[in-house]
Amino acid sequence: MAPSHHGRDVSEESLLPDQRRPFARELQRLELDLMRAVVADPTWLAPHDESALRWALSLARISVVQVRPDEGDACVVDIGHATDGLRMRLHAMLAPCFVDDRLSRDGVRAQLPQIRALVKNERAELLRLFGNRLPPAALDRATRRRPLALAMGGGGGTGYVYIGALAVLDEAGITPSLIAGTSMGALLGAFRARTKHFSLGNVRQLLSRLSWRKVFRLFDTESRFGLPATLKLSLREVIGHEFLVAGEDPGKKRYLRMGELAIPLRVTIAGLVQGERAVDVAGYADLLKGVDDASALKRRSRSMAQVLSDIGKQPARALYIGGDELTREFDVLDAVGFSSSVPGIIHYDILRDDPRMVGLVQTLIAREGVSRLVDGGLVDNLPAKEAWRAIQSGAVGDRDPFVLSLDAFAPQLTTRHLLFLPLMRIAAENSRSGREQSHLVVTFKGVLSPLSVVPSPAEFLRAVENGRREMSPFVPLIRKMIGPIPDPPGVLTELA
């Protein structure tokens, strides 16, 4: 479980815009290494020195400041390259403190007086440069704390490990500012996004009432927007009550929409583009006839591998639901359903009498130039880049997030069934960008099989405990990275 950056060269073109600024990428790595050292031994820096160091690194990464009405004239201030000099000088001070990837604590301590003076002067220069447009309160708030962008990858039953991770974060008082999810990551992300605080007991109670036959039914109808598949996903029937809200008409309820979630959510869906390599998918509905539980799928592994391989060759486009005026109106369950529709295995569609949602999907399909909506894992199984882009576009007000990614679906042949190997390879390939753009990736090892989409109570508890165990060591580091940072003496207050 290592950060995604070490040991990999990343092309300049693939970087996010803020990472292309001079020394932004390098300081990002140094900051993570320095905060790991502080977490491992909190005593090697005095509290006032630690806050000055963290403040300097945080100020250096700011690219945009949202000024709130209570701070001055509400506006968005683009810092742009105004902090290029700060990053250059800060990097020149800190980089020599690492020799052969080993940190010289004495070297860092020796630089702290200069770092304190540097950040104090740079803060004053930024306030002078932008004048009344950038009040000190707005700049200091953006420096003191940063939003948390949480990306959750797909992977069927492997994703239940995220529940333990979400519980650990919530218990530590860490609330995601925005969530982006794919497939099972989108489903669990939707549960998490309903409220500001996470209820593990609610999820446990819900799963205790589920069964394979309640969740999946044999495909016995038409396919309008999705791909035909043997098993029809019955989301509204089994978990719909968790997403009901008061409707516009008194006494009537309707389903929660993407724009109404307590935490903003982006759901990844793959849109298949009709092209020269299109395959005949009509037979997919009969591919798994006779399958009535997870174990029966194992006998069809060769057929499934061929289907996933065929679909993986189709031109597809990543669609992110929840980020624009059109898709904010999508019912949450429909977005999650399409994101979870594994080609040849799971079918999801809108076949009910619902002109509003049908019209929204038809408009999306026409706008994006796609023909079918399927599992988002085909195009972006770890949507960290979308999580960053959403926050940087103003989805939560504050910008420059810390991007945390949870991944449970990296290929591990010893623990996962070969049936999903083609999809794992596709997901691993399109997850590379997400891993590169993340500040921290937690790759879970103690996961259930992808087939355990309806886990037994014992499996569920094991997944949750594994998620807790594997996530807990990262919590202190995440706290350091998102703040709040204490106001540093010698910068904002007098140094006693």
Side-chain angles (χ1 to χ4, degrees), residues 388-408:
W388 179 91
R389 188 207 62 78
I391 288 184
Q392 207 66 0
S393 299
V396 300
D398 291 334
R399 268 65 163 192
D400 299 297
F402 179 74
V403 182
L404 169 65
S405 291
L406 309 183
D407 188 2

Side-chain angles (χ1 to χ4, degrees), residues 148-281:
L148 173 63
L150 177 63
M152 300 168 64
T158 67
Y160 283 113
V161 74
Y162 300 153
I163 297 176
L166 292 172
V168 165
L169 291 174
D170 188 70
E171 291 162 5
I174 298 173
T175 301
S177 302
L178 179 140
I179 301 172
T182 297
S183 195
M184 181 60 83
L187 176 58
L188 297 177
F191 266 97
R192 178 63 188 89
R194 292 177 308 157
T195 58
K196 287 293 185 181
H197 295 289
F198 181 65
S199 173
L200 176 59
N202 190 30
V203 178
R204 182 187 292 114
Q205 184 180 41
L206 176 66
L207 285 172
S208 69
R209 299 196 299 264
L210 299 186
S211 68
W212 181 270
R213 287 177 175 80
K214 287 181 181 178
V215 177
F216 298 112
R217 301 174 185 176
L218 288 179
F219 181 87
D220 58 358
T221 183
E222 62 179 316
S223 181
R224 180 187 281 170
F225 303 121
L227 276 179
T230 304
L231 304 175
K232 184 170 63 175
L233 181 60
S234 304
L235 276 184
R236 287 177 178 251
E237 292 81 353
V238 295
I239 63 172
H241 59 282
E242 298 287 340
F243 291 86
L244 285 173
V245 294
E248 289 74 13
D249 297 330
K252 291 188 177 181
K253 292 187 175 184
R254 61 170 176 80
Y255 289 99
L256 192 68
R257 295 167 188 169
M258 292 290 294
E260 298 171 332
L261 290 163
I263 298 174
L265 176 68
R266 300 292 182 268
V267 172
T268 311
I269 296 175
L272 295 186
V273 180
Q274 197 71 27
E276 295 179 0
R277 295 190 300 175
V279 297
D280 181 12
V281 298

